[in-house]
Amino acid sequence: MAKTAVPLLAVFERLFETFGPFLIPATLFALGLIGYLLLYAIERSRTDDWFVEEE
């Protein structure tokens, strides 16, 4: 196994021992929140040049 993978595996095992099955939904929630914030930031930074107001 690669030298960098061994510490990562140890960290994952420690987290799974501590939090058990709750780790999976918590991780999915955190990833979803990060994705939502990324999409929100992209949407806020867009210009509104595609929207034309009628006069």
Side-chain angles (χ1 to χ4, degrees), residues 1-12:
M1 198 176 269
K3 292 181 181 180
T4 57
V6 173
L8 293 176
L9 185 60
V11 168
F12 178 75

Side-chain angles (χ1 to χ4, degrees), residues 13-31:
E13 287 176 351
R14 178 71 177 160
L15 284 173
F16 195 76
E17 287 174 2
T18 303
F19 298 107
F22 179 71
L23 184 63
I24 295 170
T27 303
L28 291 176
F29 176 79
L31 291 175

Side-chain angles (χ1 to χ4, degrees), residues 12-53:
F12 178 75
E13 287 176 351
R14 178 71 177 160
L15 284 173
F16 195 76
E17 287 174 2
T18 303
F19 298 107
F22 179 71
L23 184 63
I24 295 170
T27 303
L28 291 176
F29 176 79
L31 291 175
L33 182 63
I34 291 169
Y36 177 79
L37 291 174
L38 178 67
L39 290 175
Y40 182 75
I42 290 171
E43 191 271 332
R44 295 288 290 166
S45 67
R46 281 191 341 183
T47 59
D48 288 336
D49 58 356
W50 58 273
F51 180 71
V52 179
E53 290 185 28

